[in-house]
Amino acid sequence: MFEKVLIANRGEIALRIHRACREMGIQTVAVHSTADADAMHVRLADESVCIGPPPARDSYLNIPAILSAAAITGADAIHPGVGFMSEKAQFAEMVEEHGFAFIGPTAEHIRMMGDKVVAKHTVQSLGLPVVPGSDGPMDSLDAAIAIARDIGYPVLVKAAAGGGGRGMKVARNPESLREAYQMARGEARAAFGNDQVYIEKFLQRPRHIEIQVLADAHGNAVHFGERDCSVQRRHQKVLEEAPSPALNDGQRHKIGMLAAETTAKLGYRGVGTMEFLFEDGNFYFIEMNTRLQVEHPVTEMITGIDLVREQIRVAAGAPLGYQQSDLQFDGHAIECRVNAEHPESFAPSPGRVQSYHAPGGLGVRVDSALYDGYIVPPHYDSLIAKMIVYGSSRNECLMRLRRALDEFVIGGIETTLPLHQRLVAEVDFINGDYDIHWLEHLLAGSESR
Ligand code: ADP
């Protein structure tokens, strides 16, 4: 097992990884920008190294600085967390070339899944259903128009290198496809330095259902069930739950086993997530994330498995040591992502936290790096806390969730806590009756009122 892990990240996810390491008796090294000198991940780690000024490109994305920090501190492995370097194949390669273990899949798998066109093609050839659309990247508008005619409008133009909902545009007819094609390419070029786009049928009322998978380096793969991440704004997840209120046991078992089998066939190692859209009883693969997900805690709550510990174990070469039939699913969990944003305008709200009280009690978990007096810097992602609530049934989970949201105090800055309070009181949400467009409709309705 590793003796010292460098955590190449910040905020709540850096803390999450530190906690797993600490429980495993592994020393931790934090890296930080000058803006994060007082951050909780720096305070809790055994050692810390400043790797640059506030902008992420000069610090958390600065490969030479991260590798030097690992060398100076004698770390034997690097955990990339989520975001930042976590899906950069070149980083994984360089980490290994410099003699450290990368806590994640091989560079080859990251690269394959990072190109969504290649990813779709690969999993389709292994037996997974995919969203109807173009077979490869579109090299001209005419080709895009021809495909759209085949599959029927509306269509979605998506960036091959996409992520975070960027480079994605809906078109409802050939005229709007012209515009969507140009806009998606421009956005993709700016965001990813790669303007390849592809086309998919735009599904009207699907749910986003994703399967958590894990594989060791010895060919064993399991799944940990699904997460329903349909509550989204601008294609970004806002709240996630496990299990999904929309699946029956047969559907759950079928898609879980398919995802695990595909993971094994890919020769994949590490944790990963296969994302699907689910409509009218059918699943359609959209992408695979080759890293830990922000919403992994809901899976941990219903399986009792520490996914970060498992991730570290398999990166160190340990076999899983259990099979699918050993895994049990129990109860219900919901995660609310709390962002430092205005709950209605969604304008970023960095600044000093004037008062802080995290909820507690049975079944309540808060993953956050906040503390009283902490200054939320303006340079990074606005996620400041995740509140994860567990109940033996969905109903109990909802009762606890409402109570815990009422207890949560984050003063001095605007947060999305009021948005969560509002949406968990909605009848559709209480009934589990929502799709990926539900939240946008709810928000649009309140604007026009
Ligand atoms: P990203 O990598 O940018 O997050 P994804 O492919 O994972 O992009 O899609 C993000 C979200 O966009 C999905 O969860 C879903 O809400 C929406 N979406 C993606 N593909 C489609 C589609 N074909 N039809 C309708 N919505 C889609």
Side-chain angles (χ1 to χ4, degrees), residues 388-432:
I388 307 101
V389 175
Y390 173 84
S392 57
S393 63
R394 187 167 188 270
N395 201 27
E396 185 180 71
C397 183
L398 285 175
M399 280 161 38
R400 239 174 226 164
L401 179 59
R402 276 187 226 112
R403 183 274 290 170
L405 279 168
D406 289 345
E407 263 179 49
F408 211 156
V409 178
I410 304 174
I413 56 170
E414 298 282 358
T415 76
T416 51
L417 279 170
L419 170 72
H420 287 291
Q421 281 174 311
R422 176 177 169 203
L423 70 89
V424 301
E426 287 291 327
V427 174
D428 289 343
F429 183 75
I430 293 167
N431 292 336

mmCIF file of all heavy atoms in Angstrom, residues 388-432:
data_model
loop_
_atom_site.group_PDB
_atom_site.id
_atom_site.type_symbol
_atom_site.label_atom_id
_atom_site.label_comp_id
_atom_site.label_asym_id
_atom_site.label_seq_id
_atom_site.Cartn_x
_atom_site.Cartn_y
_atom_site.Cartn_z
ATOM 1 N N ILE A 388 -25.377 15.418 2.301
ATOM 2 C CA ILE A 388 -25.875 14.118 1.885
ATOM 3 C C ILE A 388 -26.714 13.557 3.031
ATOM 4 O O ILE A 388 -26.255 13.485 4.171
ATOM 5 C CB ILE A 388 -24.718 13.148 1.558
ATOM 6 C CG1 ILE A 388 -23.759 13.798 0.547
ATOM 7 C CG2 ILE A 388 -25.246 11.834 1.023
ATOM 8 C CD1 ILE A 388 -22.502 14.367 1.135
ATOM 9 N N VAL A 389 -27.949 13.198 2.716
ATOM 10 C CA VAL A 389 -28.858 12.726 3.754
ATOM 11 C C VAL A 389 -29.318 11.310 3.421
ATOM 12 O O VAL A 389 -29.654 11.008 2.269
ATOM 13 C CB VAL A 389 -30.062 13.681 3.886
ATOM 14 C CG1 VAL A 389 -31.076 13.134 4.872
ATOM 15 C CG2 VAL A 389 -29.581 15.055 4.327
ATOM 16 N N TYR A 390 -29.301 10.470 4.429
ATOM 17 C CA TYR A 390 -29.688 9.065 4.272
ATOM 18 C C TYR A 390 -30.964 8.771 5.066
ATOM 19 O O TYR A 390 -31.156 9.301 6.161
ATOM 20 C CB TYR A 390 -28.548 8.164 4.788
ATOM 21 C CG TYR A 390 -28.927 6.707 4.816
ATOM 22 C CD1 TYR A 390 -28.808 5.926 3.668
ATOM 23 C CD2 TYR A 390 -29.452 6.126 5.975
ATOM 24 C CE1 TYR A 390 -29.200 4.600 3.682
ATOM 25 C CE2 TYR A 390 -29.842 4.792 5.987
ATOM 26 C CZ TYR A 390 -29.716 4.032 4.831
ATOM 27 O OH TYR A 390 -30.105 2.732 4.830
ATOM 28 N N GLY A 391 -31.828 7.931 4.505
ATOM 29 C CA GLY A 391 -32.996 7.455 5.246
ATOM 30 C C GLY A 391 -33.277 6.017 4.855
ATOM 31 O O GLY A 391 -32.862 5.575 3.771
ATOM 32 N N SER A 392 -33.986 5.289 5.699
ATOM 33 C CA SER A 392 -34.229 3.882 5.360
ATOM 34 C C SER A 392 -35.198 3.779 4.176
ATOM 35 O O SER A 392 -35.226 2.778 3.472
ATOM 36 C CB SER A 392 -34.774 3.118 6.570
ATOM 37 O OG SER A 392 -35.942 3.755 7.011
ATOM 38 N N SER A 393 -35.982 4.855 3.933
ATOM 39 C CA SER A 393 -36.845 4.909 2.749
ATOM 40 C C SER A 393 -36.690 6.307 2.144
ATOM 41 O O SER A 393 -36.152 7.213 2.791
ATOM 42 C CB SER A 393 -38.301 4.709 3.158
ATOM 43 O OG SER A 393 -38.683 5.798 4.004
ATOM 44 N N ARG A 394 -37.205 6.496 0.922
ATOM 45 C CA ARG A 394 -37.116 7.824 0.307
ATOM 46 C C ARG A 394 -37.885 8.836 1.137
ATOM 47 O O ARG A 394 -37.459 9.975 1.310
ATOM 48 C CB ARG A 394 -37.646 7.779 -1.143
ATOM 49 C CG ARG A 394 -37.412 9.089 -1.895
ATOM 50 C CD ARG A 394 -37.637 8.941 -3.392
ATOM 51 N NE ARG A 394 -37.235 10.140 -4.108
ATOM 52 C CZ ARG A 394 -38.026 11.178 -4.372
ATOM 53 N NH1 ARG A 394 -39.290 11.154 -3.979
ATOM 54 N NH2 ARG A 394 -37.569 12.236 -5.016
ATOM 55 N N ASN A 395 -38.997 8.398 1.677
ATOM 56 C CA ASN A 395 -39.805 9.286 2.491
ATOM 57 C C ASN A 395 -39.062 9.764 3.736
ATOM 58 O O ASN A 395 -39.035 10.953 4.050
ATOM 59 C CB ASN A 395 -41.104 8.553 2.873
ATOM 60 C CG ASN A 395 -42.168 9.532 3.258
ATOM 61 O OD1 ASN A 395 -42.144 10.675 2.802
ATOM 62 N ND2 ASN A 395 -43.073 9.115 4.139
ATOM 63 N N GLU A 396 -38.421 8.844 4.415
ATOM 64 C CA GLU A 396 -37.659 9.228 5.609
ATOM 65 C C GLU A 396 -36.510 10.157 5.214
ATOM 66 O O GLU A 396 -36.193 11.125 5.918
ATOM 67 C CB GLU A 396 -37.106 7.976 6.309
ATOM 68 C CG GLU A 396 -36.418 8.316 7.606
ATOM 69 C CD GLU A 396 -35.862 7.082 8.316
ATOM 70 O OE1 GLU A 396 -34.869 6.500 7.826
ATOM 71 O OE2 GLU A 396 -36.423 6.700 9.353
ATOM 72 N N CYS A 397 -35.883 9.853 4.077
ATOM 73 C CA CYS A 397 -34.785 10.676 3.586
ATOM 74 C C CYS A 397 -35.264 12.114 3.345
ATOM 75 O O CYS A 397 -34.601 13.078 3.732
ATOM 76 C CB CYS A 397 -34.242 10.042 2.299
ATOM 77 S SG CYS A 397 -32.840 10.878 1.602
ATOM 78 N N LEU A 398 -36.435 12.254 2.733
ATOM 79 C CA LEU A 398 -36.977 13.593 2.444
ATOM 80 C C LEU A 398 -37.308 14.362 3.720
ATOM 81 O O LEU A 398 -37.045 15.559 3.824
ATOM 82 C CB LEU A 398 -38.245 13.475 1.579
ATOM 83 C CG LEU A 398 -38.030 13.139 0.108
ATOM 84 C CD1 LEU A 398 -39.374 12.921 -0.594
ATOM 85 C CD2 LEU A 398 -37.249 14.250 -0.584
ATOM 86 N N MET A 399 -37.862 13.664 4.713
ATOM 87 C CA MET A 399 -38.188 14.317 5.980
ATOM 88 C C MET A 399 -36.920 14.867 6.631
ATOM 89 O O MET A 399 -36.870 16.000 7.097
ATOM 90 C CB MET A 399 -38.827 13.303 6.942
ATOM 91 C CG MET A 399 -40.302 13.051 6.663
ATOM 92 S SD MET A 399 -40.913 11.496 7.401
ATOM 93 C CE MET A 399 -40.081 11.421 8.968
ATOM 94 N N ARG A 400 -35.884 14.040 6.621
ATOM 95 C CA ARG A 400 -34.620 14.435 7.228
ATOM 96 C C ARG A 400 -33.956 15.558 6.436
ATOM 97 O O ARG A 400 -33.349 16.462 6.996
ATOM 98 C CB ARG A 400 -33.691 13.217 7.183
ATOM 99 C CG ARG A 400 -33.251 12.800 8.526
ATOM 100 C CD ARG A 400 -32.462 11.524 8.460
ATOM 101 N NE ARG A 400 -32.974 10.659 9.503
ATOM 102 C CZ ARG A 400 -32.754 9.374 9.571
ATOM 103 N NH1 ARG A 400 -32.038 8.762 8.640
ATOM 104 N NH2 ARG A 400 -33.237 8.673 10.557
ATOM 105 N N LEU A 401 -34.079 15.450 5.120
ATOM 106 C CA LEU A 401 -33.445 16.430 4.237
ATOM 107 C C LEU A 401 -34.014 17.818 4.506
ATOM 108 O O LEU A 401 -33.282 18.802 4.624
ATOM 109 C CB LEU A 401 -33.693 16.010 2.783
ATOM 110 C CG LEU A 401 -33.149 16.898 1.672
ATOM 111 C CD1 LEU A 401 -31.641 17.043 1.786
ATOM 112 C CD2 LEU A 401 -33.493 16.313 0.308
ATOM 113 N N ARG A 402 -35.342 17.902 4.620
ATOM 114 C CA ARG A 402 -35.970 19.206 4.867
ATOM 115 C C ARG A 402 -35.515 19.765 6.216
ATOM 116 O O ARG A 402 -35.173 20.932 6.333
ATOM 117 C CB ARG A 402 -37.496 19.063 4.860
ATOM 118 C CG ARG A 402 -38.014 19.119 3.457
ATOM 119 C CD ARG A 402 -39.535 19.141 3.434
ATOM 120 N NE ARG A 402 -39.945 18.184 2.431
ATOM 121 C CZ ARG A 402 -40.563 17.047 2.652
ATOM 122 N NH1 ARG A 402 -40.916 16.696 3.866
ATOM 123 N NH2 ARG A 402 -40.854 16.244 1.656
ATOM 124 N N ARG A 403 -35.476 18.914 7.195
ATOM 125 C CA ARG A 403 -35.057 19.337 8.532
ATOM 126 C C ARG A 403 -33.593 19.811 8.487
ATOM 127 O O ARG A 403 -33.235 20.862 9.024
ATOM 128 C CB ARG A 403 -35.239 18.135 9.481
ATOM 129 C CG ARG A 403 -34.935 18.351 10.936
ATOM 130 C CD ARG A 403 -33.480 18.168 11.288
ATOM 131 N NE ARG A 403 -33.013 16.792 11.210
ATOM 132 C CZ ARG A 403 -31.736 16.455 11.293
ATOM 133 N NH1 ARG A 403 -30.802 17.379 11.425
ATOM 134 N NH2 ARG A 403 -31.357 15.194 11.218
ATOM 135 N N ALA A 404 -32.733 19.055 7.811
ATOM 136 C CA ALA A 404 -31.301 19.391 7.775
ATOM 137 C C ALA A 404 -31.066 20.692 6.994
ATOM 138 O O ALA A 404 -30.227 21.514 7.377
ATOM 139 C CB ALA A 404 -30.514 18.241 7.145
ATOM 140 N N LEU A 405 -31.821 20.901 5.912
ATOM 141 C CA LEU A 405 -31.669 22.148 5.146
ATOM 142 C C LEU A 405 -32.034 23.348 6.008
ATOM 143 O O LEU A 405 -31.390 24.395 5.944
ATOM 144 C CB LEU A 405 -32.563 22.122 3.892
ATOM 145 C CG LEU A 405 -32.026 21.354 2.678
ATOM 146 C CD1 LEU A 405 -33.132 21.173 1.632
ATOM 147 C CD2 LEU A 405 -30.823 22.053 2.059
ATOM 148 N N ASP A 406 -33.066 23.197 6.839
ATOM 149 C CA ASP A 406 -33.480 24.298 7.714
ATOM 150 C C ASP A 406 -32.408 24.632 8.756
ATOM 151 O O ASP A 406 -32.319 25.758 9.224
ATOM 152 C CB ASP A 406 -34.797 23.957 8.445
ATOM 153 C CG ASP A 406 -35.981 23.970 7.478
ATOM 154 O OD1 ASP A 406 -35.820 24.507 6.368
ATOM 155 O OD2 ASP A 406 -37.040 23.433 7.838
ATOM 156 N N GLU A 407 -31.611 23.628 9.129
ATOM 157 C CA GLU A 407 -30.573 23.850 10.145
ATOM 158 C C GLU A 407 -29.308 24.490 9.598
ATOM 159 O O GLU A 407 -28.515 25.059 10.334
ATOM 160 C CB GLU A 407 -30.136 22.481 10.706
ATOM 161 C CG GLU A 407 -30.794 22.080 11.975
ATOM 162 C CD GLU A 407 -30.300 20.705 12.406
ATOM 163 O OE1 GLU A 407 -29.075 20.461 12.439
ATOM 164 O OE2 GLU A 407 -31.157 19.850 12.708
ATOM 165 N N PHE A 408 -29.093 24.316 8.296
ATOM 166 C CA PHE A 408 -27.811 24.706 7.687
ATOM 167 C C PHE A 408 -27.702 26.228 7.643
ATOM 168 O O PHE A 408 -28.564 26.899 7.077
ATOM 169 C CB PHE A 408 -27.751 24.135 6.263
ATOM 170 C CG PHE A 408 -26.364 23.784 5.770
ATOM 171 C CD1 PHE A 408 -26.188 22.849 4.760
ATOM 172 C CD2 PHE A 408 -25.235 24.386 6.306
ATOM 173 C CE1 PHE A 408 -24.929 22.501 4.299
ATOM 174 C CE2 PHE A 408 -23.962 24.056 5.859
ATOM 175 C CZ PHE A 408 -23.809 23.114 4.846
ATOM 176 N N VAL A 409 -26.646 26.786 8.242
ATOM 177 C CA VAL A 409 -26.427 28.241 8.194
ATOM 178 C C VAL A 409 -25.079 28.526 7.550
ATOM 179 O O VAL A 409 -24.048 28.024 7.996
ATOM 180 C CB VAL A 409 -26.422 28.860 9.620
ATOM 181 C CG1 VAL A 409 -26.131 30.365 9.545
ATOM 182 C CG2 VAL A 409 -27.733 28.596 10.338
ATOM 183 N N ILE A 410 -25.099 29.282 6.449
ATOM 184 C CA ILE A 410 -23.862 29.790 5.860
ATOM 185 C C ILE A 410 -24.104 31.282 5.665
ATOM 186 O O ILE A 410 -24.835 31.682 4.763
ATOM 187 C CB ILE A 410 -23.540 29.115 4.508
ATOM 188 C CG1 ILE A 410 -23.468 27.590 4.649
ATOM 189 C CG2 ILE A 410 -22.225 29.662 3.940
ATOM 190 C CD1 ILE A 410 -23.290 26.823 3.338
ATOM 191 N N GLY A 411 -23.543 32.098 6.549
ATOM 192 C CA GLY A 411 -23.814 33.543 6.493
ATOM 193 C C GLY A 411 -22.718 34.314 5.776
ATOM 194 O O GLY A 411 -21.605 33.816 5.585
ATOM 195 N N GLY A 412 -23.039 35.529 5.367
ATOM 196 C CA GLY A 412 -22.034 36.425 4.776
ATOM 197 C C GLY A 412 -21.948 36.351 3.266
ATOM 198 O O GLY A 412 -21.512 37.298 2.621
ATOM 199 N N ILE A 413 -22.326 35.230 2.685
ATOM 200 C CA ILE A 413 -22.325 35.079 1.226
ATOM 201 C C ILE A 413 -23.677 34.489 0.801
ATOM 202 O O ILE A 413 -24.392 33.925 1.629
ATOM 203 C CB ILE A 413 -21.186 34.134 0.728
ATOM 204 C CG1 ILE A 413 -21.295 32.766 1.418
ATOM 205 C CG2 ILE A 413 -19.813 34.759 0.951
ATOM 206 C CD1 ILE A 413 -20.382 31.706 0.825
ATOM 207 N N GLU A 414 -23.989 34.640 -0.464
ATOM 208 C CA GLU A 414 -25.214 34.009 -0.979
ATOM 209 C C GLU A 414 -24.900 32.547 -1.288
ATOM 210 O O GLU A 414 -23.796 32.235 -1.762
ATOM 211 C CB GLU A 414 -25.645 34.674 -2.286
ATOM 212 C CG GLU A 414 -25.990 36.134 -2.164
ATOM 213 C CD GLU A 414 -27.366 36.368 -1.572
ATOM 214 O OE1 GLU A 414 -28.075 35.375 -1.278
ATOM 215 O OE2 GLU A 414 -27.716 37.541 -1.406
ATOM 216 N N THR A 415 -25.876 31.667 -1.043
ATOM 217 C CA THR A 415 -25.684 30.262 -1.405
ATOM 218 C C THR A 415 -26.959 29.715 -2.043
ATOM 219 O O THR A 415 -28.011 30.353 -1.973
ATOM 220 C CB THR A 415 -25.366 29.373 -0.179
ATOM 221 O OG1 THR A 415 -26.579 29.148 0.538
ATOM 222 C CG2 THR A 415 -24.314 29.984 0.712
ATOM 223 N N THR A 416 -26.852 28.538 -2.608
ATOM 224 C CA THR A 416 -28.021 27.921 -3.233
ATOM 225 C C THR A 416 -28.866 27.103 -2.239
ATOM 226 O O THR A 416 -29.758 26.371 -2.655
ATOM 227 C CB THR A 416 -27.598 27.025 -4.419
ATOM 228 O OG1 THR A 416 -26.565 26.137 -3.969
ATOM 229 C CG2 THR A 416 -27.076 27.857 -5.576
ATOM 230 N N LEU A 417 -28.621 27.264 -0.928
ATOM 231 C CA LEU A 417 -29.458 26.549 0.047
ATOM 232 C C LEU A 417 -30.952 26.846 -0.141
ATOM 233 O O LEU A 417 -31.768 25.911 -0.129
ATOM 234 C CB LEU A 417 -29.022 26.890 1.481
ATOM 235 C CG LEU A 417 -27.810 26.127 2.019
ATOM 236 C CD1 LEU A 417 -27.341 26.726 3.350
ATOM 237 C CD2 LEU A 417 -28.131 24.637 2.193
ATOM 238 N N PRO A 418 -31.348 28.137 -0.356
ATOM 239 C CA PRO A 418 -32.792 28.397 -0.549
ATOM 240 C C PRO A 418 -33.372 27.693 -1.778
ATOM 241 O O PRO A 418 -34.545 27.309 -1.771
ATOM 242 C CB PRO A 418 -32.862 29.926 -0.716
ATOM 243 C CG PRO A 418 -31.618 30.440 -0.066
ATOM 244 C CD PRO A 418 -30.578 29.382 -0.297
ATOM 245 N N LEU A 419 -32.562 27.505 -2.820
ATOM 246 C CA LEU A 419 -33.041 26.789 -3.999
ATOM 247 C C LEU A 419 -33.388 25.345 -3.615
ATOM 248 O O LEU A 419 -34.429 24.806 -4.005
ATOM 249 C CB LEU A 419 -31.964 26.802 -5.100
ATOM 250 C CG LEU A 419 -32.246 25.896 -6.286
ATOM 251 C CD1 LEU A 419 -33.370 26.484 -7.144
ATOM 252 C CD2 LEU A 419 -31.003 25.701 -7.149
ATOM 253 N N HIS A 420 -32.514 24.709 -2.834
ATOM 254 C CA HIS A 420 -32.776 23.332 -2.413
ATOM 255 C C HIS A 420 -34.026 23.255 -1.539
ATOM 256 O O HIS A 420 -34.829 22.336 -1.682
ATOM 257 C CB HIS A 420 -31.557 22.761 -1.683
ATOM 258 C CG HIS A 420 -30.422 22.458 -2.608
ATOM 259 N ND1 HIS A 420 -30.483 21.435 -3.519
ATOM 260 C CD2 HIS A 420 -29.231 23.068 -2.801
ATOM 261 C CE1 HIS A 420 -29.363 21.415 -4.216
ATOM 262 N NE2 HIS A 420 -28.588 22.393 -3.812
ATOM 263 N N GLN A 421 -34.180 24.251 -0.641
ATOM 264 C CA GLN A 421 -35.376 24.246 0.212
ATOM 265 C C GLN A 421 -36.631 24.320 -0.651
ATOM 266 O O GLN A 421 -37.620 23.650 -0.374
ATOM 267 C CB GLN A 421 -35.337 25.450 1.167
ATOM 268 C CG GLN A 421 -34.413 25.185 2.327
ATOM 269 C CD GLN A 421 -34.230 26.396 3.202
ATOM 270 O OE1 GLN A 421 -33.964 27.494 2.709
ATOM 271 N NE2 GLN A 421 -34.347 26.216 4.499
ATOM 272 N N ARG A 422 -36.526 25.108 -1.713
ATOM 273 C CA ARG A 422 -37.683 25.261 -2.582
ATOM 274 C C ARG A 422 -37.961 23.975 -3.353
ATOM 275 O O ARG A 422 -39.084 23.495 -3.432
ATOM 276 C CB ARG A 422 -37.396 26.411 -3.551
ATOM 277 C CG ARG A 422 -38.491 26.575 -4.537
ATOM 278 C CD ARG A 422 -38.243 27.758 -5.434
ATOM 279 N NE ARG A 422 -39.220 27.689 -6.514
ATOM 280 C CZ ARG A 422 -39.072 28.254 -7.679
ATOM 281 N NH1 ARG A 422 -37.992 28.953 -7.936
ATOM 282 N NH2 ARG A 422 -39.997 28.128 -8.591
ATOM 283 N N LEU A 423 -36.911 23.392 -3.920
ATOM 284 C CA LEU A 423 -37.218 22.260 -4.802
ATOM 285 C C LEU A 423 -37.620 20.996 -4.057
ATOM 286 O O LEU A 423 -38.416 20.212 -4.573
ATOM 287 C CB LEU A 423 -36.136 22.056 -5.863
ATOM 288 C CG LEU A 423 -34.756 21.558 -5.580
ATOM 289 C CD1 LEU A 423 -34.738 20.047 -5.650
ATOM 290 C CD2 LEU A 423 -33.805 22.137 -6.610
ATOM 291 N N VAL A 424 -37.131 20.830 -2.812
ATOM 292 C CA VAL A 424 -37.565 19.620 -2.085
ATOM 293 C C VAL A 424 -38.992 19.746 -1.553
ATOM 294 O O VAL A 424 -39.559 18.780 -1.059
ATOM 295 C CB VAL A 424 -36.603 19.206 -0.949
ATOM 296 C CG1 VAL A 424 -35.214 18.943 -1.487
ATOM 297 C CG2 VAL A 424 -36.561 20.238 0.178
ATOM 298 N N ALA A 425 -39.566 20.970 -1.664
ATOM 299 C CA ALA A 425 -40.963 21.142 -1.254
ATOM 300 C C ALA A 425 -41.916 20.970 -2.438
ATOM 301 O O ALA A 425 -43.135 20.965 -2.264
ATOM 302 C CB ALA A 425 -41.147 22.523 -0.637
ATOM 303 N N GLU A 426 -41.398 20.839 -3.634
ATOM 304 C CA GLU A 426 -42.235 20.697 -4.836
ATOM 305 C C GLU A 426 -42.892 19.311 -4.894
ATOM 306 O O GLU A 426 -42.216 18.299 -4.677
ATOM 307 C CB GLU A 426 -41.381 20.876 -6.098
ATOM 308 C CG GLU A 426 -40.947 22.302 -6.355
ATOM 309 C CD GLU A 426 -42.105 23.219 -6.753
ATOM 310 O OE1 GLU A 426 -43.051 22.729 -7.419
ATOM 311 O OE2 GLU A 426 -42.068 24.409 -6.389
ATOM 312 N N VAL A 427 -44.155 19.280 -5.247
ATOM 313 C CA VAL A 427 -44.891 18.013 -5.282
ATOM 314 C C VAL A 427 -44.240 17.028 -6.264
ATOM 315 O O VAL A 427 -44.074 15.841 -5.961
ATOM 316 C CB VAL A 427 -46.372 18.251 -5.669
ATOM 317 C CG1 VAL A 427 -47.094 16.922 -5.845
ATOM 318 C CG2 VAL A 427 -47.049 19.081 -4.608
ATOM 319 N N ASP A 428 -43.833 17.517 -7.443
ATOM 320 C CA ASP A 428 -43.216 16.621 -8.433
ATOM 321 C C ASP A 428 -41.963 15.964 -7.860
ATOM 322 O O ASP A 428 -41.709 14.778 -8.067
ATOM 323 C CB ASP A 428 -42.793 17.404 -9.689
ATOM 324 C CG ASP A 428 -43.991 17.850 -10.496
ATOM 325 O OD1 ASP A 428 -45.082 17.299 -10.274
ATOM 326 O OD2 ASP A 428 -43.824 18.750 -11.340
ATOM 327 N N PHE A 429 -41.180 16.767 -7.154
ATOM 328 C CA PHE A 429 -39.950 16.199 -6.589
ATOM 329 C C PHE A 429 -40.289 15.176 -5.511
ATOM 330 O O PHE A 429 -39.717 14.076 -5.464
ATOM 331 C CB PHE A 429 -39.029 17.290 -6.026
ATOM 332 C CG PHE A 429 -37.746 16.693 -5.525
ATOM 333 C CD1 PHE A 429 -36.771 16.274 -6.418
ATOM 334 C CD2 PHE A 429 -37.547 16.458 -4.170
ATOM 335 C CE1 PHE A 429 -35.604 15.646 -5.968
ATOM 336 C CE2 PHE A 429 -36.398 15.838 -3.709
ATOM 337 C CZ PHE A 429 -35.420 15.430 -4.625
ATOM 338 N N ILE A 430 -41.237 15.521 -4.673
ATOM 339 C CA ILE A 430 -41.646 14.609 -3.593
ATOM 340 C C ILE A 430 -42.133 13.282 -4.196
ATOM 341 O O ILE A 430 -41.831 12.204 -3.689
ATOM 342 C CB ILE A 430 -42.739 15.255 -2.713
ATOM 343 C CG1 ILE A 430 -42.124 16.433 -1.955
ATOM 344 C CG2 ILE A 430 -43.353 14.237 -1.743
ATOM 345 C CD1 ILE A 430 -43.115 17.347 -1.282
ATOM 346 N N ASN A 431 -42.824 13.379 -5.342
ATOM 347 C CA ASN A 431 -43.316 12.163 -6.008
ATOM 348 C C ASN A 431 -42.247 11.470 -6.850
ATOM 349 O O ASN A 431 -42.507 10.430 -7.447
ATOM 350 C CB ASN A 431 -44.501 12.510 -6.913
ATOM 351 C CG ASN A 431 -45.712 12.931 -6.095
ATOM 352 O OD1 ASN A 431 -45.817 12.553 -4.921
ATOM 353 N ND2 ASN A 431 -46.594 13.701 -6.692
ATOM 354 N N GLY A 432 -41.079 12.065 -6.927
ATOM 355 C CA GLY A 432 -40.000 11.479 -7.740
ATOM 356 C C GLY A 432 -40.292 11.605 -9.218
ATOM 357 O O GLY A 432 -39.738 10.879 -10.045
#
